[in-house]
Amino acid sequence: MTETIEYDVVVLGAGPVGENVAERTRAAGLSTAVVESELVGGECSYWACMPSKALLRSAIARADARRTPGLVQAAQGPLDARAVLAHRDEQTAHWKDDGQVAWLDATGARLYRGQGRLDGPRRVTVTGTDGEIQVLTARHAVAVCTGTRAVVPDLPGVADAKPWTSRDATSADRVPGRLVVIGGGVVGVEMATAWQALGSQVTLLVRGDRLLPRMESFAGELVADALREAGVDVRFGTSATSAVRDGATVTVTLDGGERIEADEVLFATGRAPHTDDLGLDTIGLKPGSWLTVDDTCQVEGLRWLYAVGDVNHRALLTHQGKYQARIASAAIAARAQGVPLLETDRWGAHAATADHAAVPQVVFTDPEAAAVGLSLAEAEAAGHRVRAVDYDLAHVAGSGLYVDGYRGRARMIVDLDREIVLGVTFVGPGVGELLHSATVAVAGEVPIDRLWHAVPAYPTISEVWLRLLETYRG
C-alpha cells in the first residue's frame, strides 16, 4: 500500500522560483516538500540565465575593449572559444545540482525526485525514475512552479532536422560554423550576439519589422545596427517555411523561396507552460494551459492552489518569478496562520504589484538594452497622460570615459498628472547597471521634485538621470 505523507505546503518544481517558495514557507514554520523531475536550480541555472550570460560576458568585454584607448589593438583577435565554453560549464556547475540540493536541504524542505502530478485537490503523486509512486498531500497549499518550455513550430522537416532550442544554444560544446537564428526576441538577439562573437556566421531571421518588440523601438534599432556591424545577417519580414537536415547540414527554406544552408538552426520562437503532464484535468483545469492567478499568485477559483513564476504568464523573468515567490509564500503563510485580511492593496505585502507596474529586464547584447515599467505605447494604451523624455547617452561625460564612440539613448516616461516616472529605457554599453536606480524610481513612485535632489556622481553614466530631469523641467 502506497504511503501518504502530509506537508503544509507541496511545491512542484525546484527552479529558482520553487526554491524561493520553499525557503520562505519553511522560514514561516511550515513543513514543505519540493518535487523536481530534472535538476534542482531549474532552467535559469543550467540552460538560460547563467549559461547565456557566461557566453555573452566575453563577447561584451571584448567589444568594450575594442573601443577603449590602449586596448584596441590587444582586443582585435578572436575569442578563445574553448575558454569561454569552459567558463560557461563552470557557471552551470557542469550540469550537476549537488550544491543547490545542499542549499535546499539546509532550508529544512524535503526534496522528492521524480515527476509530480496533481491527483485531485491538495494531493500530488510523485513517480520516481524507478517507477515507484509516492503520494503527498498539502494541508494549506500546493504551489506550481514548473516554468515553461521552448516552442518549436511544426514546419515541414523540422522534427527530423534536430533544431536547437534555447537549451541547446546555451549548452552546446562546439561553435557551429554557420548558425541560423529564428526569432527577434531576447533569446534570438542574445544568442546571435554570443555565437557570432565566438566565430559562427550567423543569420538572424525575424518575422516582424523590429527586434525586441516589447521594448521601445529605438532599443531594437540600436541592437540591430550593432549586430550587423558585428557581421550578423539580420533579415526582417522573413519567415522559415521548412528546415531539412542532410547529414551535418540543415537547409532552411524562406517564405520567398530562398534556401540557407547552416550547421545548426535555432528556433527562438516563444515559450509554452510546463503544465501538459501535471494532472490539471484532475482539478478541472486544462492540461497545457497557463494558470491564471490573482496578485497573491493564487489560482482563480482554487483557494489551495498557487501558480508562481513563468507558469502564470505574468512576467517571464527569473527575478520576477522569485519576487512572486516572496509574495506568494507570504500569502500562504498568512492564510495558514488564519490572518483574516491580507494586505492585497497596491504595493501591499501580499500583492505582486510590480508585475504590472515595475518589471525590470536587461538584454545582454552589445549594446545592452535595459527597461523597467511602461513604454510610451503601453502608458498611452493604459490611458495615462504622459510625456516621453529622450536623451542621447553619448552626451553624458561618463559615457565618453567608458568607451570611445559611445552610442546609446535613454527615455523616461513621466505621468503628467502625478509627476512620477512610469517607465525608463536605457540602451548603450554598460547600461544594465543603471537599471536598478530606475526600478527604485518607478516602484517607489518617487516624485519628480524629489528625484531632482538625487545627485548623480560625476563623471558616471548615471548622470543621465540629471540630464533627463533637466530636459523634462526645461
Side-chain angles (χ1 to χ4, degrees), residues 95-118:
W95 290 275
K96 295 179 181 178
D97 63 1
D98 300 22
Q100 302 243 25
V101 170
W103 177 89
L104 186 61
D105 286 344
T107 68
R110 170 70 187 276
L111 174 64
Y112 289 84
R113 298 274 195 180
Q115 176 62 52
R117 297 180 181 87
L118 292 162

Side-chain angles (χ1 to χ4, degrees), residues 166-192:
S166 55
R167 282 195 171 195
D168 303 290
T170 58
S171 63
D173 60 5
R174 63 177 181 82
V175 179
R178 302 160 299 173
L179 173 64
V180 172
V181 179
I182 300 175
V186 176
V187 172
V189 298
E190 286 192 346
M191 291 298 93

Side-chain angles (χ1 to χ4, degrees), residues 8-9 28 30 139-141 306 329-339 342:
D8 290 322
V9 180
L30 301 177
R139 295 185 190 91
H140 299 294
Y306 293 74
S329 55
I332 291 169
R335 286 171 173 143
Q337 294 160 6
V339 174
L342 271 58

Side-chain angles (χ1 to χ4, degrees), residues 63-69 398-407 429 461:
D64 286 345
R66 286 177 169 178
R67 297 187 290 260
T68 302
S399 64
L401 294 170
Y402 193 83
V403 293
D404 279 353
Y406 192 105
R407 285 183 292 177
I461 302 175

Side-chain angles (χ1 to χ4, degrees), residues 51-291:
S52 65
K53 282 26 172 203
L55 292 174
L56 286 158
R57 178 63 196 129
S58 298
I60 294 171
R62 183 182 63 171
D64 286 345
R66 286 177 169 178
R67 297 187 290 260
T68 302
L71 290 174
V72 176
Q73 293 304 316
Q76 290 309 308
L79 292 175
D80 183 341
R82 181 176 296 181
V84 173
L85 295 179
H87 173 61
R88 183 272 318 273
D89 294 351
E90 290 177 3
Q91 292 299 310
T92 59
H94 299 272
W95 290 275
K96 295 179 181 178
D97 63 1
D98 300 22
Q100 302 243 25
V101 170
W103 177 89
L104 186 61
D105 286 344
T107 68
R110 170 70 187 276
L111 174 64
Y112 289 84
R113 298 274 195 180
Q115 176 62 52
R117 297 180 181 87
L118 292 162
D119 185 29
R122 305 176 191 269
R123 181 180 169 94
V124 171
T125 62
V126 183
T127 305
T129 55
D130 58 0
E132 182 180 350
I133 296 177
Q134 293 179 292
V135 178
L136 312 177
T137 59
R139 295 185 190 91
H140 299 294
V142 174
V144 177
C145 308
T146 50
T148 59
R149 56 178 174 79
V151 173
V152 176
D154 185 19
L155 299 176
V158 167
D160 297 319
K162 299 178 181 177
W164 276 7
T165 65
S166 55
R167 282 195 171 195
D168 303 290
T170 58
S171 63
D173 60 5
R174 63 177 181 82
V175 179
R178 302 160 299 173
L179 173 64
V180 172
V181 179
I182 300 175
V186 176
V187 172
V189 298
E190 286 192 346
M191 291 298 93
T193 300
W195 289 108
Q196 178 73 29
L198 286 166
S200 293
Q201 178 187 330
V202 177
T203 301
L204 179 60
L205 307 179
V206 184
R207 183 170 57 184
D209 59 359
R210 54 185 283 199
L211 301 180
L212 303 174
R214 295 183 180 277
M215 287 188 165
E216 301 282 9
S217 60
F218 64 80
E221 292 166 4
L222 286 166
V223 171
D225 289 345
L227 284 171
R228 285 184 168 129
E229 289 174 10
V232 176
D233 181 3
V234 182
R235 306 189 188 190
F236 293 106
T238 304
S239 296
T241 58
S242 69
V244 178
R245 183 172 289 279
D246 182 8
T249 300
V250 59
T251 301
V252 179
T253 302
L254 308 184
D255 48 6
E258 181 183 354
R259 296 183 177 182
I260 303 175
E261 290 189 348
D263 299 284
E264 303 291 351
V265 56
L266 163 63
F267 281 92
T269 48
R271 310 286 298 179
H274 250 315
T275 60
D276 47 333
D277 189 23
L278 202 62
L280 292 184
D281 54 312
T282 69
I283 56 170
L285 298 177
K286 182 180 178 182
S289 63
W290 301 99
L291 297 177

Side-chain angles (χ1 to χ4, degrees), residues 40 73 197 227 262 294 299 314 316 353 376 379 409 415 431 440 462:
V40 174
Q73 293 304 316
L227 284 171
D294 62 18
V299 175
R314 286 165 68 100
L316 278 64
T353 307
L376 175 60
R409 185 172 171 185
D415 183 324
V431 298
V440 171
S462 63

